[in-house]
Amino acid sequence: SNTIIFSIVIPAFNEERYIRSCLDSVFALNFPKESYEVIIVDNGSTDKTMEYASKYEAQCHTIIGVKVGAVRNFGASIAKGEFIAFLDSDCVVDKEWLNTAYKNLQSNSNLVIGGQYLMRDSPSWLEKYWVLNNSKTQIYQTTLVGGCIFIPMSTFLNVSGFDEKLHSGEDSDLTYRLRQSGFEVEICPELSVIHLGYPSNVTDFIKRQLWHSADYITNFKKSLKDKVFAITLLFFSAFIGLLAGIGFTSISTIIAASIILVLTPAILSYKRVSRSRTSYRTIRDLILIYLVDVLYLIGRSLGTLISLRNAIFMSFNEKKISR
């Protein structure tokens, strides 16, 4: 029979560097070719992403001026499969990816499954100390990651897909809503994909954090439930406190702010090391993990500032319109 079991939906934006590796792995899957379709949804790339993608037997579509949740939803809206497999265009899958997912999904119609991100073979120091765990057997992720999700079409429609208003975190939000609606969400480490797009230099790493914190202030109520947001606010406040202390030569403010500035990245590092069950435990490893968390909090703090500016701008525009 010619039924499509899986629709693989791949959002893309300026991914000329990795999209061929992604699609080569997808078209080398050990799964009947007539039983899966590949849908690439481009978000307005200005490089050769779509030129490369068009050389494969995939459906190529473009949708511009929307956030990633809407890009994924558009792909799902034209999918014909019983299950949707969301994959990112900077990720590579192994040959048994669909077989493994199919075995898991057939046992339980109430189930949504996802994998984790693995590092490439020779990662940069930044990737290594950001990801920490590269295991295909241990579970260290608690929510779905957008680059590796398997969901029955009926379930996806039941929860109305991804939230199209979010800049990022649409995968965690989907996980939360699925669980609230009574669906089971499981992380299967054997479904993990190699994520080639991890930032490998400081500038790209900070840019990624700016993007991830773009909704912090506009979704303030939701952000307050996020421990990372609380740590970011503490770090940012301590930095402002330190500047104020230096400005007014207040020794107690300087000391208190300095302690918080040093401790907040350490809290993150402790959380990450204990959660990932990593084997990086030498003093050098721990210093580099700590350094990555300092960069992370700098990026998130700057992102919070940008988010605050956007929220003020939005409310100013709303007042203008209401006049």
Side-chain angles (χ1 to χ4, degrees), residues 28-61:
L29 282 162
N30 182 19
F31 201 78
K33 289 283 175 279
E34 67 280 3
S35 298
Y36 71 96
E37 61 175 353
V38 181
I39 301 166
I40 298 159
V41 187
D42 184 68
N43 197 9
S45 294
T46 52
D47 64 2
K48 292 184 174 173
T49 298
M50 288 313 268
E51 185 190 316
Y52 294 153
S54 64
K55 292 184 167 62
Y56 293 82
E57 280 181 64
Q59 301 173 43
C60 294
H61 301 271

Side-chain angles (χ1 to χ4, degrees), residues 16 36 53 74 82 115 118 146 164 197 259 312 319:
E16 65 177 11
Y36 71 96
F74 178 81
E82 184 189 344
L118 301 171
E164 301 191 354
I259 290 168
I312 292 166
K319 276 178 191 162

Side-chain angles (χ1 to χ4, degrees), residues 109-124:
S109 62
N110 205 35
L111 186 64
V112 176
I113 54 176
Q116 303 177 131
Y117 290 145
L118 301 171
M119 285 180 279
R120 69 184 94 210
D121 284 344
S122 45
S124 68

Side-chain angles (χ1 to χ4, degrees), residues 102-158:
Y102 198 42
K103 276 178 208 149
N104 281 292
L105 290 163
Q106 278 180 305
S107 62
N108 183 350
S109 62
N110 205 35
L111 186 64
V112 176
I113 54 176
Q116 303 177 131
Y117 290 145
L118 301 171
M119 285 180 279
R120 69 184 94 210
D121 284 344
S122 45
S124 68
W125 74 271
L126 200 48
E127 288 171 272
K128 198 169 120 179
Y129 291 108
W130 172 240
V131 182
L132 294 182
N133 193 313
N134 212 34
S135 162
K136 256 198 154 180
T137 55
Q138 286 180 358
I139 298 173
Y140 49 91
Q141 185 74 32
T142 53
T143 59
L144 297 166
V145 291
C148 185
I149 297 173
F150 289 91
I151 183 167
M153 176 66 86
S154 54
T155 303
F156 190 73
L157 295 172
N158 186 304

Side-chain angles (χ1 to χ4, degrees), residues 145-311:
V145 291
C148 185
I149 297 173
F150 289 91
I151 183 167
M153 176 66 86
S154 54
T155 303
F156 190 73
L157 295 172
N158 186 304
V159 295
S160 310
F162 289 100
D163 185 336
E164 301 191 354
K165 295 192 294 291
L166 299 174
H167 282 87
S168 69
E170 75 294 339
D171 40 16
S172 310
D173 171 75
L174 179 70
T175 311
Y176 173 76
R177 286 186 292 110
L178 283 164
R179 286 177 175 149
Q180 288 284 97
S181 305
F183 294 100
E184 285 173 49
V185 179
E186 261 179 40
I187 304 300
C188 305
E190 65 274 20
L191 288 173
S192 296
V193 296
I194 295 169
H195 188 218
L196 300 172
Y198 274 124
S200 54
N201 63 63
V202 171
T203 310
D204 288 347
F205 183 77
I206 287 180
K207 274 187 192 162
R208 167 91 34 126
Q209 302 322 318
L210 290 177
W211 174 61
H212 275 299
S213 46
D215 295 313
Y216 269 171
I217 304 298
T218 40
N219 285 347
F220 192 68
K221 273 186 188 165
K222 200 169 150 201
S223 298
L224 284 173
K225 295 174 190 166
D226 181 357
K227 291 179 189 126
V228 173
F229 177 60
I231 291 171
T232 302
L233 275 187
L234 205 55
F235 180 83
F236 183 60
S237 308
F239 179 70
I240 300 296
L242 186 64
L243 291 181
I246 292 166
F248 297 103
T249 57
S250 162
I251 299 298
S252 56
T253 306
I254 291 169
I255 292 169
S258 301
I259 290 168
I260 294 168
L261 273 178
V262 170
L263 278 182
T264 39
I267 293 165
L268 272 188
S269 298
Y270 174 76
K271 188 178 158 216
R272 290 202 304 122
V273 169
S274 51
R275 194 180 73 180
S276 69
R277 309 195 211 23
T278 177
S279 55
Y280 302 140
R281 292 292 162 95
T282 68
I283 293 295
R284 180 180 175 273
D285 289 334
L286 295 175
I287 288 168
L288 286 166
I289 291 168
Y290 179 80
L291 179 60
V292 169
D293 285 319
V294 170
L295 293 171
Y296 174 85
L297 285 173
I298 289 169
R300 292 275 167 145
S301 298
L302 291 170
T304 305
L305 257 185
I306 293 166
S307 181
L308 180 62
R309 185 200 66 188
N310 293 346

